[in-house]
Amino acid sequence: LAANLQTLAPEEFRNLEVGLKWEPTEELAVNAALFQIDRTNTRATDPNTGNPVLSGASRTKGFELSLSGKILANWQASLGYTYQDGEITRTTTAAPAGRSLDKLPHHQISAWTRYDLSGAFGIGLGLVHQSSQFATISNAVRLPAFTRIDAALFYDVSDNLSLQLNVENLTDADYFPSAHTDNNIATGKPLNAKLTARVKF
């Protein structure tokens, strides 16, 4: 490929990872992993136009920790934490080496728990947190950190019919989870609810 067509060449990556899995009980699992991802011929979004541009090469490293399963017979939980740090490692006209990668919060936390009050009725509560992140590789605009709280109700009307009510963003928080360019920022959903019915035949 000619130099001006390099955007058509595939992105290549090398992923190094080491992990640990532990099951304190048959229904509960703990996982941990350290990782490093090196990418070459990387592409990014132009901070002004939104078009793809070559950003050279990048490296992302971090670790993940998660717990999922049943804590008690009627209590389920899922917890996760991720730390990531990424930067551009090769200078191009799009960005110099050392600049932080976009849309990559250092800290991400997710938590969800469900408790069944009876054989037919259960309640759920969840949390999503992201630390601040850059909108694009210009590193000129930073999306603020946010925490969103969700909830749910579960009810089995019969063996064939179950109802589920999900409420997202319980505190009606204003947040910005992602961005397309430095001046095109995505907004999170306000307080909203969804009712789902499941029927078995």
Side-chain angles (χ1 to χ4, degrees):
L1 293 173
N4 64 335
L5 297 178
Q6 225 14 57
T7 53
L8 301 178
E11 181 178 285
E12 297 182 8
F13 70 92
R14 181 184 65 177
N15 184 29
L16 302 175
E17 184 173 346
V18 59
L20 174 69
K21 183 175 182 178
W22 176 47
E23 296 181 346
T25 70
E26 291 184 357
E27 297 183 311
L28 189 64
V30 178
N31 294 280
L34 292 168
F35 61 87
Q36 177 177 297
I37 304 171
D38 291 298
R39 298 178 185 270
T40 56
N41 197 42
T42 55
R43 286 172 291 278
T45 300
D46 186 283
N48 300 309
T49 67
N51 296 324
V53 292
L54 285 172
S55 53
S58 69
R59 169 172 288 179
T60 304
K61 52 187 177 181
F63 68 87
E64 299 174 324
L65 181 65
S66 67
L67 177 149
S68 61
K70 287 188 176 181
I71 299 174
L72 299 173
N74 57 342
W75 183 16
Q76 304 173 39
S78 176
L79 306 172
Y81 170 74
T82 302
Y83 172 81
Q84 300 176 101
D85 184 28
E87 67 176 19
I88 293 172
T89 55
R90 184 184 302 162
T91 297
T92 66
T93 55
R99 186 169 287 181
S100 296
L101 293 178
D102 59 310
K103 291 180 278 293
L104 191 72
H106 285 317
H107 306 282
Q108 290 179 294
I109 300 170
S110 63
W112 178 258
T113 184
R114 171 176 170 167
Y115 189 82
D116 293 325
L117 300 171
S118 67
F121 185 67
I123 58 175
L125 188 66
L127 177 147
V128 175
H129 173 78
Q130 282 190 183
S131 61
S132 63
Q133 57 185 313
F134 288 111
T136 69
I137 57 171
S138 74
N139 287 186
V141 176
R142 185 183 285 271
L143 307 181
F146 72 87
T147 301
R148 194 189 76 215
I149 299 174
D150 305 327
L153 296 175
F154 309 91
Y155 181 59
D156 293 330
V157 180
S158 66
D159 290 340
N160 298 321
L161 176 62
S162 62
L163 301 176
Q164 180 176 331
L165 176 66
N166 287 86
V167 181
E168 187 179 85
N169 197 2
L170 201 61
T171 61
D172 200 24
D174 294 326
Y175 67 101
F176 307 93
S178 187
H180 302 291
T181 63
D182 279 347
N183 53 20
N184 188 352
I185 311 297
T187 57
K189 291 182 180 180
L191 172 66
N192 66 93
K194 179 174 66 174
L195 179 63
T196 304
R198 293 183 177 87
V199 180
K200 296 180 181 178
F201 296 96

